[in-house]
């Protein structure tokens, strides 16, 4: 058949076939059909959410995190969503020694994980990363409870905190930290001393390697 003999519907059919082939190759939606099993299809968001280990959740629903973290001596002073990251400012009791301070940090991480699992207002399925700033609390000269500057910040994936067991040890809670930033030499020494304990080192090997590798503090 010559090109001049083709009918209008021949050209229409050929156009649809070519468009479908191009869109399949590039991952685009098919004409009149939509995407086939690709991200963006109905149910794809639910599958992604499930793989992250968290329920699908809209922001600004549920209690505030500071009200969910209720373990005596531990507190969340502020939780701030920032695009895909949730920054949590928390306080721990000061046990008076370095390794004990890091143990308390692990407990705080565990409690924040528990809070996320229960559901808090500041969380949503957009959050993929959680940064925790850890400070101590103590009495000031007037006898008022006062939070001090953060000792360090720890960054976790939200999925790891959702997977954290409710009875996790401090070492198990700290083991998932993707990054640690220190706010002074004393804070760094406290973590080095904690990691010098073999049981802690074995539970949080990757975390302790970060602590050891930190320089210029």
């Amino acid at each position: 058949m010559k090109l001049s003999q083709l009918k209008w519907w021949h050209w229409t059919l050929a156009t649809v076939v070519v468009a479908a082939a191009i869109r399949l190759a590039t991952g685009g939606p098919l004409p009149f059909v939509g995407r086939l099993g690709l991200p963006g299809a109905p149910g794809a968001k639910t599958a992604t959410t499930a793989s992250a280990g968290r329920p699908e959740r809209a922001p600004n629903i549920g209690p505030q995190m500071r009200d969910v973290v209720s373990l005596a001596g531990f507190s969340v002073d502020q939780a701030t969503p920032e695009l895909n990251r949730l920054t949590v400012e928390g306080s721990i009791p000061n046990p008076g020694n370095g390794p004990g301070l890091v143990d308390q940090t692990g407990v705080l991480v565990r409690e924040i994980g528990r809070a996320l699992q229960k559901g808090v207002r500041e969380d949503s399925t957009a959050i993929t990363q959680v940064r925790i700033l850890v400070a101590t609390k103590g009495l000031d000269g007037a006898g008022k409870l006062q939070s001090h500057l953060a000792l360090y910040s720890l960054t976790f994936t939200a999925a790891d905190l959702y997977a954290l067991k409710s009875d996790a040890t401090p070492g198990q809670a700290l083991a998932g930290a993707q990054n640690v930033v220190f706010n002074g030499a004393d804070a760094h020494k406290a973590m080095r001393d904690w990691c010098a304990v073999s049981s802690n080192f074995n539970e949080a090997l990757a975390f302790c390697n970060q602590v050891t590798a930190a320089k210029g503090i």
Side-chain angles (χ1 to χ4, degrees):
M1 182 181 291
K2 296 180 181 179
L3 291 177
S4 60
Q5 295 176 307
L6 293 176
K7 305 295 184 182
W8 67 267
W9 61 269
H10 288 130
W11 291 108
T12 301
L13 180 61
T15 301
V16 171
V17 170
V18 171
I22 292 173
R23 294 193 179 192
L24 276 175
T26 59
L30 292 175
F32 312 112
V33 177
R35 300 176 188 268
L36 294 179
L38 295 174
K45 184 176 179 181
T46 301
T48 302
T49 298
S51 68
R54 66 197 300 167
E56 189 164 338
R57 182 175 295 142
N60 309 122
I61 292 178
Q64 290 184 294
M65 182 177 284
R66 66 186 181 192
D67 296 326
V68 179
V69 176
S70 58
L71 189 63
F74 296 81
S75 65
V76 166
D77 302 308
Q78 190 168 344
T80 308
E82 304 166 323
L83 296 179
N84 68 325
R85 183 175 73 179
L86 177 64
T87 293
V88 181
E89 298 176 35
S91 299
I92 60 176
N94 190 343
N97 65 76
L101 198 68
V102 183
D103 276 334
Q104 303 284 48
T105 299
V107 172
L108 177 66
V109 171
R110 184 191 68 200
E111 294 304 303
I112 289 172
R114 284 177 171 175
L116 288 170
Q117 291 164 17
K118 291 177 181 177
V120 293
R121 182 176 303 179
E122 299 89 352
D123 185 30
S124 74
T125 50
I127 300 296
T128 60
Q129 187 182 81
V130 180
R131 183 171 66 122
I132 303 174
L133 281 67
V134 183
T136 58
K137 270 190 174 178
L139 299 178
D140 61 16
K144 183 180 179 181
L145 197 62
Q146 181 76 28
S147 287
H148 301 286
L149 290 176
L151 299 164
Y152 29 69
S153 72
L154 304 165
T155 303
F156 297 82
T157 65
D160 283 345
L161 291 181
Y162 269 85
L164 193 61
K165 294 181 179 180
S166 62
D167 60 349
T169 65
Q172 290 168 341
L174 293 172
Q178 304 289 305
N179 189 41
V180 54
V181 178
F182 300 97
N183 195 21
D186 290 342
H188 187 212
K189 182 179 184 304
M191 282 197 174
R192 285 203 318 268
D193 291 345
W194 183 85
C195 287
V197 179
S198 60
S199 59
N200 295 334
F201 182 82
N202 291 335
E203 276 193 323
L205 179 59
F207 171 74
C208 286
N209 284 336
Q210 292 184 65
V211 173
T212 303
K215 304 294 182 184
I217 301 168

